[in-house]
Amino acid sequence: MGVSLFGAPRRRREMCERPGSSPNPSSSASSGGGSNSSPDYAADGPLSREVAVRDLKRQALLRDLSRQLAYGDLPARVQAAREIRKMARASVKARSAFAVDAVVGPLVGMLPSPEREEREAALLALLNLAVRNERNKITIVESGAVPPLVQLLKTEGCGLRELAGAAILTLSAAESNRSVITALGAAPPLVQVLISGTIQGKVDAVTALYNLSSSKESLRPSLYVEAVGPLFALLKDSKKYSKFAEKACSLLETLSSTEEGKSAISEVDGGILTMVETVEDGSYLSMEYAAGILLALCQSCREKYRERILKEGAIPGLLRLTVYGTKKGQERARELLDILRDDRPKRLTSKMLETIAFDIASRVDGPSQAMETARRLLKDMVRRERELSGSRRHLELAVPPAAMVPS
């Protein structure tokens, strides 16, 4: 019943929705001077009457459901919420029509209910109203949905926790909502879902945290260092070139900006290896983030991390990244290579570099094109080495010996 009120057969619906057109096709003849059609027929034709009747029924249903939400007993409220969810799933028009204060406000008011059935019905209705509708996402947040959703996120051992996480994820897709959601404390309970939730709950939590990390009310990395282990666990099991891997690596890079984060990353079993594998097999963004994480580790303590990164075989992937990758990814790879090669000129010989470059080129472009690609790789490395040598020489000439510096 709900669907029929918000949807018409496709041809009729298109005729009704086309901007600036009459609902009656024959009315177009009148614009060309024809005398067989009239404005009265366009206004009072069968199609217009059908649209008018459908609109009246829709308004009556909207009033009835909003009245049940506001004044009905528990069964009536639950049933009304379920009807709204059903129609929102089936029709884009219904999704827009029900995003009004008279509906959204009572649904939000049902979220803190002591009755699980009522909370679940309201949550599912709001979730379906928000899906693929930016304006509805903003309306729901402005109606005060975030605080009760954060409380539901803190509920242990309850399916509502994952539904609340999905709702936060959906609402955080609207950029203007992110600062509000972050300021109202959604990040810490999302981290707890990431630690102990279901697989789907963890995946939703990662994406929600990724969305929130771009807000003006930026997340404080020290508050979610606990997420490092679960992020690596998910990353190890995912395809390194996937969108999910990009989000997980982005969060890990944010965490690597703090000493606690770097320490947590270095302590994860196989964590550095996972970053090296991401540099080799990830998407351009994942490669950029992974190189940034490895660079942050080396910059914080070269003696501690350089050997570990070299041991995991990072050089081939980093050499490849200096040629293939985002601009920032290339810069990070070059800078990290400079740190890794420091104090190791004899161990990384020209022959070794040629072998590495040819191996990378063969995997990227195939044997037939490998030689040309290898030449480009080596040429870039030689140019970079000359630039560094020139910088060091300039620095030596600019700084006087210690004996000549006046005391």
Side-chain angles (χ1 to χ4, degrees):
M1 173 182 173
V3 177
S4 64
L5 297 180
F6 293 92
R10 184 173 181 182
R11 288 183 60 191
R12 292 181 179 177
R13 185 164 65 249
E14 289 174 350
M15 290 162 61
C16 295
E17 291 179 346
R18 189 178 299 117
S21 64
S22 168
N24 193 320
S26 63
S27 64
S28 60
S30 64
S31 62
S35 58
N36 293 332
S37 61
S38 67
D40 289 338
Y41 179 81
D44 300 329
L47 184 57
S48 293
R49 285 197 296 272
E50 180 184 334
V51 171
V53 169
R54 190 168 63 247
D55 284 345
L56 288 173
K57 289 182 178 180
R58 181 172 59 194
Q59 292 169 17
L61 178 61
L62 180 60
R63 286 194 300 270
D64 181 55
L65 290 174
S66 62
R67 192 161 44 242
Q68 290 181 48
L69 290 173
Y71 306 111
D73 55 14
L74 176 62
R77 293 196 301 272
V78 170
Q79 184 59 35
R82 288 173 176 169
E83 284 294 319
I84 291 168
R85 177 204 177 193
K86 180 180 177 182
M87 287 182 281
R89 289 178 66 183
S91 166
V92 175
K93 281 190 173 182
R95 211 172 294 149
S96 298
F98 282 118
V100 294
D101 291 341
V103 171
V104 174
L107 286 173
V108 170
M110 293 165 64
L111 292 176
S113 169
E115 299 293 334
R116 176 192 167 88
E117 187 180 35
E118 184 173 14
R119 294 197 305 270
E120 181 176 1
L123 184 49
L124 288 170
L126 289 168
L127 187 54
N128 281 276
L129 287 174
V131 169
R132 294 190 295 276
N133 192 307
E134 195 83 356
R135 185 174 65 85
N136 288 6
K137 292 179 176 70
I138 296 169
T139 299
I140 290 168
V141 168
E142 289 177 345
S143 298
V146 176
L149 287 174
V150 170
Q151 289 303 312
L152 287 173
L153 280 174
K154 297 175 181 178
T155 306
E156 294 288 343
C158 177
L160 292 178
R161 185 190 192 195
E162 273 68 31
L163 285 176
I168 291 290
L169 163 60
T170 302
L171 296 174
S172 67
E175 188 173 351
S176 60
N177 284 342
R178 293 171 187 173
S179 295
V180 176
I181 294 171
T182 304
L184 291 173
L190 282 172
V191 170
Q192 294 308 309
V193 174
L194 179 55
I195 292 170
S196 61
T198 63
I199 292 297
Q200 186 59 55
K202 291 178 179 181
V203 170
D204 288 347
V206 168
T207 308
L209 285 168
Y210 171 80
N211 289 344
L212 298 180
S213 68
S214 67
S215 71
K216 293 179 181 178
E217 295 282 341
S218 58
L219 300 173
R220 285 186 287 170
S222 59
L223 290 180
Y224 59 112
V225 170
E226 292 176 282
V228 168
L231 281 170
F232 268 106
L234 291 169
L235 185 57
K236 287 176 183 177
D237 293 335
S238 67
K239 292 180 173 62
K240 302 300 185 291
Y241 54 81
S242 65
K243 290 293 183 183
F244 177 81
E246 290 179 2
K247 294 177 175 65
C249 287
S250 174
L251 289 172
L252 286 168
E253 188 196 10
T254 301
L255 287 163
S256 71
S257 66
T258 67
E259 289 305 316
E260 304 99 312
K262 283 190 276 282
S263 177
I265 289 170
S266 68
E267 291 171 4
V268 171
D269 185 29
I272 290 178
L273 175 60
T274 301
M275 289 296 98
V276 170
E277 291 174 343
T278 304
V279 170
E280 293 177 344
D281 302 324
S283 67
Y284 287 149
L285 276 178
S286 294
M287 293 160 66
E288 175 190 315
Y289 298 142
I293 292 165
L294 294 174
L295 179 60
L297 292 176
C298 269
Q299 287 175 331
S300 69
C301 185
R302 289 185 299 171
E303 293 73 18
K304 180 177 180 181
Y305 296 112
R306 187 172 59 199
E307 290 296 330
R308 293 177 61 182
I309 294 172
L310 285 169
K311 183 180 177 182
E312 300 297 353
I315 296 294
L318 290 171
L319 286 171
R320 180 189 172 206
L321 184 54
T322 63
V323 179
Y324 302 98
T326 64
K327 182 178 179 181
K328 185 179 288 187
Q330 292 176 0
E331 292 171 353
R332 289 174 171 180
R334 293 188 185 108
E335 190 173 354
L336 182 54
L337 281 169
D338 293 338
I339 296 175
L340 295 176
R341 289 191 304 213
D342 193 15
D343 300 330
R344 299 177 59 88
K346 294 180 181 179
R347 296 175 65 183
L348 198 60
T349 65
S350 297
K351 187 63 177 176
M352 291 170 64
L353 289 175
E354 290 174 9
T355 302
I356 290 170
F358 189 82
D359 177 64
I360 294 168
S362 298
R363 285 187 289 160
V364 173
D365 292 336
S368 61
Q369 301 292 325
M371 190 59 70
E372 182 62 30
T373 302
R375 286 196 188 102
R376 289 206 312 272
L377 276 168
L378 290 169
K379 184 179 178 181
D380 181 76
M381 290 161 56
V382 170
R383 178 188 60 77
R384 180 66 176 167
E385 190 62 36
R386 285 174 178 170
E387 289 176 357
L388 287 170
S389 298
S391 298
R392 291 191 188 105
R393 185 184 304 173
H394 178 75
L395 185 62
E396 290 170 359
L397 292 173
V399 179
M404 297 177 62
V405 178
S407 57

